[in-house]
Structures are given as C-alpha cells and as structure tokens.
Amino acid sequence: FRGQNTQDTASDPTLEQVAFDLKSRRTLGAIPRELVRVSSPAVDTLVDELIQMAFAEHEDNFAFATSSVSNGPTSLYAASSTTTHLVGSSANGGTLAYADLLRTVRKAYAAKAVGPFAWIMSPRTFFDRCLGLEDTEGHPIVQPDAKAPIGFQLLGYPVFVSPEVPEDQANGSGTSQSYAIFTNPRKYIHIADSGSVEIARSEERYFDYNQIGIRGVHAVDLK
C-alpha cells in the first residue's frame, strides 16, 4: 500500500536458468547371426523396443534410488531441495498411518507448493500400507478412480507406483523401510533428455562368435 504522490520502486523478480549436465548411459549386447536371419518380426525391431524399455526402467532406478547412482544424476531422494519427514516422527521409521499422510500434504501446502499434486511410491507401500487406511471417521482414504494411473486416488490425489522405489532402506534401528513422494511432477521434477535412444550395430565386434553387436546410447539429467 502506498500513499498519494509516492513513487513506486521496481521489484525485479529473481529468475535463473537451470543448468543440465546430460549423463550418458550405454548398453551393449550380442545377437546370434542365425537369429537375425530367421526371426519374424525382424529382430532389429524387437531389440530396439527392448533397449528402449530397459532404458526407461533404468531411468526409474536412478531417479528413485536412495543415493545417487555413480556417474548419474542426483536422485530425487538425495536432492538437497527435498523436504522430508519420518513416519511417526521417529528416526527408526514405523508403520504408516493416516496422520503421516496428512502431515505430508500439510507440509506441501505450508511450503507454498503449487499443484496439481501426485503420490509416487512402491507397490508395497500403496497396496499393503495405504489401501486399507481409514480417516478418523472410519472412511477409506483410498478411492477408486478409473482415470487415475493405477485406478485409485489417495486423499484425492493420483498415485503412481514403481518397483524401483527401494524397500530396503534403514532408518535408525528400523530396516526394510521405504518412502513416498508427494509432489507436482510437472513443476518440481525437471528431466533433460537427449531425445530418442541411439542404436547402432556392428558386424565385426563379435565376429569370432558369429554374432552381431548392438549398442544403445542415451543421455539424461534430472533436477
């Protein structure tokens, strides 16, 4: 609020660019020449699909790892900007409760995070820990939703599950622990991608084995 005849002072927004350092990952395999000659559909098409699926699974693996993978991007769990809290506020972890989920949502709104939000967790966390939870009035907090990624919403937010979210973490004396992420993936998870997977073949690499070498290359970074 300003009074009459008061000059305005400009308040410039603080903007900055996010720098990505693409990390290269590679795979190398050998295919028997006999398979190349007789396969139907063409083995090249099958190998392309398998390599791309493998890279997609590997992307989940390094993104959700407890600690960053060697020579890879910083994992979401290890990112310095991530706000964390423990189940039951105990350093030893424990059994997930309705109050823990509410606390997670509250912390997101208290930090002025902007939706739409979503949950990311392991299959065990969702199906064994969350699916049977009820609120203080005895109502289930998981509701079916045919349009949601896995057919359910947790506290009204869609849920994504990945077997790459670790279930063997240790907190204090607690073991076999896991974690869940509550975030707006489109706004707070930035993925830099080199584009399509580069696939090359070599007729000579495994000549003495009568095989053809197939190499896949892809670069990615995560912030």
Side-chain angles (χ1 to χ4, degrees):
F1 298 97
R2 295 190 180 276
Q4 294 292 330
N5 301 319
T6 302
Q7 183 180 11
D8 292 334
T9 302
S11 298
D12 298 330
T14 302
L15 301 175
E16 64 180 50
Q17 292 183 332
V18 177
F20 289 99
D21 179 17
L22 293 180
K23 311 295 193 303
S24 179
R25 48 192 178 144
R26 302 190 300 266
T27 181
L28 179 66
I31 301 176
R33 288 180 176 271
E34 293 84 355
L35 180 60
V36 175
R37 287 198 301 267
V38 303
S39 65
S40 179
V43 71
D44 288 358
T45 302
L46 177 60
V47 169
D48 288 357
E49 182 178 348
L50 291 175
I51 289 178
Q52 292 181 49
M53 290 175 59
F55 273 131
E57 290 185 9
H58 181 252
E59 194 159 325
D60 262 13
N61 176 271
F62 71 71
F64 299 131
T66 304
S67 57
S68 298
V69 175
S70 178
N71 297 320
T74 301
S75 69
L76 297 176
Y77 186 85
S80 59
S81 58
T82 302
T83 300
T84 62
H85 68 93
L86 299 172
V87 168
S89 300
S90 170
N92 296 324
T95 302
L96 185 67
Y98 172 58
D100 297 310
L101 298 174
L102 283 185
R103 188 183 309 114
T104 302
V105 176
R106 173 178 62 80
K107 283 180 174 288
Y109 281 99
K112 300 181 180 179
V114 179
F117 297 106
W119 298 95
I120 304 173
M121 58 187 67
S122 75
R124 186 190 71 179
T125 298
F126 178 72
F127 291 103
D128 294 359
R129 306 292 191 267
C130 295
L131 198 53
L133 287 179
E134 299 178 343
D135 63 17
T136 54
E137 301 296 326
H139 303 131
I141 63 173
V142 175
Q143 298 293 336
D145 181 357
K147 296 182 180 180
I150 61 170
F152 294 98
Q153 287 195 352
L154 174 58
L155 293 176
Y157 303 101
V159 182
F160 294 85
V161 299
S162 171
E164 299 299 333
V165 177
E167 297 178 342
D168 58 353
Q169 293 178 284
N171 284 315
S173 61
T175 59
S176 300
Q177 305 289 311
S178 187
Y179 68 86
I181 298 174
F182 184 69
T183 187
N184 177 349
R186 294 182 179 179
K187 189 173 183 65
Y188 300 115
I189 301 178
H190 305 290
I191 300 176
D193 195 301
S194 63
S196 59
V197 177
E198 175 191 325
I199 298 177
R201 58 185 289 168
S202 171
E203 302 285 344
E204 293 80 23
R205 175 65 174 83
Y206 297 101
F207 179 80
D208 49 340
Y209 291 95
N210 195 33
Q211 295 177 330
I212 295 175
I214 302 293
R215 185 193 68 197
V217 181
H218 184 244
V220 67
D221 197 9
L222 179 71
K223 296 290 186 181

